[in-house]
Amino acid sequence: MATSPSNVLAVELLQRECHVKQPLRVVPLFEKLSDLDAAPAVVARLFSIEWY
């Protein structure tokens, strides 16, 4: 479940710290209505990060 960009980035960091050879693609999951309402800002912030 994603409520902020940090929820997605934490999973990315975990994969990097564990030296995952073939990292999985990490995408946000907006389950609650409040999360869905915030989704445009969350996705915009994630897409502003060059490597994401």
Side-chain angles (χ1 to χ4, degrees), residues 1-13:
M1 181 167 57
T3 57
S4 67
S6 63
N7 297 129
V8 177
L9 297 175
V11 178
E12 288 281 358
L13 178 63

Side-chain angles (χ1 to χ4, degrees), residues 8-24 26 49-52:
V8 177
L9 297 175
V11 178
E12 288 281 358
L13 178 63
L14 181 62
Q15 291 189 100
R16 290 178 185 209
E17 290 294 316
C18 293
H19 305 288
V20 176
K21 293 189 189 300
Q22 293 181 335
L24 300 172
V26 181
I49 301 170
E50 186 176 320
W51 54 264
Y52 182 81

Side-chain angles (χ1 to χ4, degrees), residues 29-48:
L29 175 62
F30 304 108
E31 292 184 313
K32 296 189 283 183
L33 186 56
S34 59
D35 297 338
L36 192 56
D37 288 338
V42 171
V43 172
R45 178 64 183 114
L46 288 171
F47 286 159
S48 73

